[in-house]
Amino acid sequence: MEVSRISPEGQETEIRALYQQLLDGWNKRSADAMAEPFAEDGELIGFDGSQVIGKTEIVAHLQPIFADHPTPVYVGKVRNVRFLGPEVAVLRAIAGMVPRGQSDIDPKLNTHHTLVTVKREGKWYIELFQNTPAQFHGRPELVQKMTEELQQLL
């Protein structure tokens, strides 16, 4: 195994950049750009529970979504990056969405994002992206707290 010459902080920065690249691809409504940071065999689990495996399939899944829906814009905040080994890390984030033509986050679209990232041949890739709705059923104060935290990013 090759020992990385990049500091843990530098590697964390690279992983955070993968997450931002993912969000930027969504916000540009570009299936190719959103799929770019995934490993060839990477997996996406969408907000609605859709499961898509493989970069080519991710692009095919996203293209009609962008073509047929006015997708909201993501605003995300990384909570933490945790290394499980020298070439595997998990990124946890919260995200909100601003519907097109509006200026505020729709709390019904708040979500937890989880990325499992792997380093292959010196480069980090997304192996798994999971998008889990954050509705906190029966606890509206938690929805409000998350929404307020994300609104600070606007």
Side-chain angles (χ1 to χ4, degrees):
M1 174 171 37
E2 177 184 320
V3 176
S4 175
R5 298 177 192 268
I6 301 173
S7 69
E9 296 82 13
Q11 292 193 67
E12 180 173 330
T13 299
E14 290 178 7
I15 292 164
R16 287 172 176 263
L18 280 180
Y19 178 62
Q20 190 58 55
Q21 186 179 356
L22 179 83
L23 295 185
D24 290 347
W26 175 273
N27 291 342
K28 288 186 230 174
R29 300 171 46 81
S30 169
D32 290 321
M34 188 172 170
E36 180 58 32
F38 280 86
E40 287 302 320
D41 60 349
E43 183 174 345
L44 177 146
I45 299 176
F47 192 82
D48 68 348
S50 299
Q51 181 181 16
V52 187
I53 300 172
K55 194 181 249 187
T56 303
E57 288 75 17
I58 291 170
V59 171
H61 173 75
L62 293 170
Q63 284 174 330
I65 292 171
F66 293 138
D68 299 337
H69 304 283
T71 54
V73 174
Y74 269 124
V75 176
K77 180 177 182 180
V78 174
R79 288 277 196 224
N80 62 52
V81 175
R82 184 168 50 106
F83 288 87
L84 305 179
E87 297 180 341
V88 179
V90 175
L91 177 144
R92 288 187 52 252
I94 59 170
M97 300 186 96
V98 178
R100 301 275 170 182
Q102 297 185 25
S103 60
D104 201 6
I105 291 169
D106 181 347
K108 294 185 299 295
L109 301 175
N110 288 353
T111 184
H112 289 277
H113 284 167
T114 305
L115 268 67
V116 176
T117 61
V118 295
K119 190 172 191 179
R120 295 187 179 142
E121 299 177 9
K123 185 175 177 186
W124 287 97
Y125 296 94
I126 298 170
E127 188 65 40
L128 170 68
F129 168 57
Q130 181 155 347
N131 189 357
T132 305
Q135 293 306 297
F136 304 106
H137 300 291
R139 296 170 288 165
E141 70 280 1
L142 295 178
V143 174
Q144 181 178 347
K145 182 179 177 185
M146 179 185 260
T147 302
E148 288 170 358
E149 184 176 353
L150 290 164
Q151 286 170 329
Q152 293 175 11
L153 303 173
L154 296 176

